[in-house]
């Protein structure tokens, strides 16, 4: 859905007119198959294997596409509710609320919904769309919803001021069973011991794992390059000697929180490893752009 929204920022080079000057993007609507959505989230199917490839070589994970649609929507139509038991419907709705608490959710049969629920709602905001990565909202602001709900779908932010060992983090990325199947979504910022300059970004949907380079840690930048007023925002997160480097991952699903925390904690550096030279650790994680991004420089611990 994001590429669709972005077309409204494109201009006609001959006239300089923006699409948004002649048309208004009103609402991003996603229809969710209530019967199958949980199975889709746990599936390893791709667009090609599902017969839905948009182009030759299209191998995008279906689970990720489903998640993207839900996360970006302004309105979610939870369809096939006539085929769901109340317990099933409640569980799916609870999941949707955890993934996208800002969207309006309508429970429907055959997608029958009042027109004013999807037309001229004025729910779409380009500003909001450009900053739609709200997965750390809960981590920053605290647990604004109770940890345990009637249908067992919960979320919590896992924070630690200790880096991942690259070898043990690789296990999380390569072995889907490192986290139980009850974890439906996990996303956030990672601190890898061998990569002190940049945060990593972890995205898990069902059994899928994606690891990529994120922003520069502020602690890796000279303070005279910081925006004015940044220190006030960083102060609550800052811990010497590593500054703002930390783990912040939001976990969504139905699980034992203590079990998830123990699994993730086991991937961090031990007390003994914290005293060692981290640059000597073997790092076979996917490479990032540039030597500095992969920690190839001197740094103190």
């Amino acid at each position: 859905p994001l590429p669709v929204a972005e077309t409204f920022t494109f201009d006609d080079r001959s006239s300089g007119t923006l699409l948004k000057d002649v048309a208004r993007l009103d609402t991003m609507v996603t229809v969710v198959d209530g019967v199958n959505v949980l199975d889709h989230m746990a599936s390893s199917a791709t667009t090609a294997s599902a017969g839905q490839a948009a182009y030759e070589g299209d191998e995008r994970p279906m689970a990720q596409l489903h998640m993207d649609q839900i996360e970006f929507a302004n309105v979610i139509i939870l369809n096939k509710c006539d085929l769901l038991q109340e317990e099933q419907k409640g569980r799916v709705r609870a999941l949707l609320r955890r993934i996208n608490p800002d969207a309006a959710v309508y429970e429907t049969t055959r997608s029958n919904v009042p027109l004013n629920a999807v037309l001229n709602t004025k729910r779409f905001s380009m500003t909001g769309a450009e900053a739609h990565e709200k997965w750390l909202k809960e981590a920053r602001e605290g647990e604004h919803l109770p940890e345990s709900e009637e249908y067992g779908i919960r979320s919590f932010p896992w924070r630690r001021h200790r880096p991942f060992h690259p070898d043990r983090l690789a296990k999380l990325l390569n072995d889907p069973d490192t986290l139980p199947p009850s974890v439906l979504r996990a996303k956030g910022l990672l601190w890898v011991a061998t990569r002190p300059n940049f945060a990593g970004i972890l995205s898990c949907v069902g059994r899928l794992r994606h690891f990529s380079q994120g922003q520069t840690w502020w602690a890796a930048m000279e303070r005279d390059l910081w925006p004015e007023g940044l220190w006030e925002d960083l102060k609550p997160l800052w811990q010497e000697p590593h500054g703002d480097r930390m783990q912040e991952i939001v976990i969504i699903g139905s699980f034992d929180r203590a079990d998830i925390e123990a699994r993730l904690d086991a991937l961090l550096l031990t007390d003994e490893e914290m005293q060692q030279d981290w640059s000597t650790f073997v790092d076979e994680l996917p490479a990032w752009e540039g030597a500095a991004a992969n920690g190839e420089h001197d740094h103190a611990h």
Side-chain angles (χ1 to χ4, degrees):
L2 183 57
V4 174
E6 287 176 336
T7 62
F8 280 72
T9 67
F10 297 166
D11 65 335
D12 182 334
R13 293 184 179 179
S14 61
S15 65
T17 302
L18 295 173
L19 179 57
K20 66 179 181 181
D21 294 334
V22 295
R24 177 172 61 86
L25 183 53
D26 179 72
T27 314
M28 300 298 287
V29 181
T30 289
V31 179
V32 171
D33 179 345
V35 174
N36 296 303
V37 62
L38 295 178
D39 289 338
H40 289 160
M41 293 296 184
S43 171
S44 57
T46 66
T47 47
S49 66
Q52 298 187 38
Y55 48 85
E56 186 176 352
D58 183 6
E59 293 280 353
R60 290 171 295 168
M62 292 296 293
Q64 184 66 61
L65 292 179
H66 283 293
M67 187 62 70
D68 290 346
Q69 294 275 340
I70 294 169
E71 288 181 335
F72 196 74
N74 306 124
V75 172
I76 298 173
I77 297 176
L78 175 53
N79 197 36
K80 299 186 180 179
C81 285
D82 56 319
L83 304 178
L84 295 172
Q85 299 293 326
E86 282 302 314
E87 177 74 18
Q88 293 175 297
K89 184 169 64 175
R91 184 174 173 80
V92 173
R93 187 182 180 102
L95 174 63
L96 299 179
R97 285 295 185 202
R98 288 293 186 179
I99 294 173
N100 187 344
D102 297 323
V105 179
Y106 295 92
E107 299 175 6
T108 68
T109 296
R110 299 181 185 274
S111 296
N112 188 357
V113 66
L115 288 180
N116 62 6
V118 294
L119 295 178
N120 202 33
T121 70
K122 299 181 174 63
R123 282 182 168 272
F124 178 80
S125 162
M126 185 61 73
T127 301
E130 290 170 346
H132 81 284
E133 295 284 15
K134 296 180 180 178
W135 35 271
L136 279 182
K137 181 178 180 180
E138 181 167 339
R140 296 293 190 189
E141 298 179 3
E143 296 177 52
H144 55 280
L145 293 174
E147 180 179 304
S148 182
E149 292 195 350
E150 181 180 359
Y151 299 103
I153 301 295
R154 63 196 62 177
S155 66
F156 77 93
W158 177 75
R159 301 187 193 93
R160 296 292 186 269
H161 288 271
R162 181 174 292 224
F164 278 113
H165 190 290
D167 189 50
R168 294 194 284 274
L169 177 58
K171 182 181 178 183
L172 172 63
L173 300 177
N174 298 323
D175 180 2
D177 293 326
T178 304
L179 292 177
S182 56
V183 172
L184 301 173
R185 182 65 160 140
K187 193 168 185 180
L189 300 180
L190 308 182
W191 173 22
V192 185
T194 48
R195 306 187 182 192
N197 293 333
F198 290 84
I201 297 177
L202 174 70
S203 175
C204 304
V205 179
R207 296 177 65 83
L208 301 174
R209 307 284 184 265
H210 183 68
F211 171 68
S212 59
Q213 178 181 334
Q215 65 191 27
T216 306
W217 294 114
W218 291 110
M221 297 180 61
E222 298 296 333
R223 291 207 178 194
D224 57 5
L225 298 178
W226 289 9
E228 186 176 350
L230 175 65
W231 175 241
E232 291 304 312
D233 294 331
L234 287 181
K235 235 192 281 190
L237 307 173
W238 197 271
Q239 286 196 10
E240 294 292 352
H242 304 297
D244 61 325
R245 298 180 180 95
M246 64 184 298
Q247 319 293 351
E248 281 191 304
I249 303 174
V250 174
I251 317 287
I252 300 175
S254 54
F255 44 71
D256 176 356
R257 173 170 175 168
D259 173 57
I260 301 302
E261 291 183 323
R263 288 170 183 253
L264 292 173
D265 288 346
L267 308 179
L268 302 175
L269 295 192
T270 64
D271 289 345
E272 181 181 353
E273 288 168 337
M274 286 291 292
Q275 305 306 316
Q276 297 174 4
D277 180 356
W278 302 351
S279 66
T280 64
F281 298 154
V282 175
D283 182 341
E284 295 182 348
L285 296 168
W288 292 342
E289 295 181 8
N294 294 287
E296 296 175 15
H297 77 133
D298 294 332
H299 52 280
H301 308 307

